[in-house]
Each structure stands twice: as C-alpha cells, then as structure tokens.
Amino acid sequence: MFAQVLEELEQISRQLNPVALDGGRAAVLFNDVARAERLCTAIKSRLARRVEETRVWRESGHRSAAHWVAEATGETVDAASRTL
C-alpha cells in the first residue's frame, strides 16, 4: 500500500518546481503537504509504538526502541523517545 504512495511522492518531489507556481497555488500545496506530514507522523508514531511493544528492535541489535527509531528516522534518541 505505502510503496505506491511513496513512489508517487518521490515523483512529485522530483518534478516539483515551486517557481512555476503562483503564490496561491503554492500556499494550497503547502497546506496539503503539511496535512500529509501530520498524517504520516501519526502513522509513524503508532507503528513505532508497535515496534516497541513487540521488541522487534532487539533483532537488529539496538539498545532500545528509541535507538531503533532514531536510526530509522535520523532523529536524536530524545526525539525518537518523544515519538514513542
């Protein structure tokens, strides 16, 4: 399910030329992207919690779920802890 969405987002990102947009269209797209970001953050948090609950993070040798999330996202361990 997400693979197709990710492919489409990658294509949009590659093709996006903000200079070609008027200010109003840029604002509309910005709001859409902000909404998508909030939705993805909510999904990410729920999945991270499940990874923590199942302790699958141990399989890759991480010290904690927060360390696993930090590596997966590029966040600090403190930020990853807040995600959990």
Side-chain angles (χ1 to χ4, degrees), residues 47-59:
L47 292 172
R49 187 72 172 157
R50 184 63 180 150
V51 166
E52 181 180 40
E53 291 169 353
T54 62
R55 300 179 184 251
V56 69
W57 49 269
R58 288 181 173 185
E59 294 174 11

Side-chain angles (χ1 to χ4, degrees), residues 4-78:
Q4 182 180 357
V5 172
L6 290 172
E7 278 184 38
E8 290 177 18
L9 284 172
E10 287 172 348
Q11 184 178 7
I12 290 167
S13 180
R14 283 191 304 270
Q15 295 176 353
L16 180 65
N17 180 8
V19 177
L21 304 172
D22 66 32
R25 183 67 180 141
V28 168
L29 287 174
F30 181 90
N31 287 328
D32 288 346
V33 170
R35 179 179 174 210
E37 186 175 36
R38 288 190 303 273
L39 290 168
C40 285
T41 298
I43 293 166
K44 182 176 75 169
S45 294
R46 291 170 60 197
L47 292 172
R49 187 72 172 157
R50 184 63 180 150
V51 166
E52 181 180 40
E53 291 169 353
T54 62
R55 300 179 184 251
V56 69
W57 49 269
R58 288 181 173 185
E59 294 174 11
S60 52
H62 289 87
R63 293 176 48 199
S64 69
H67 285 84
W68 181 88
V69 170
E71 182 177 307
T73 62
E75 298 173 339
T76 65
V77 174
D78 285 341

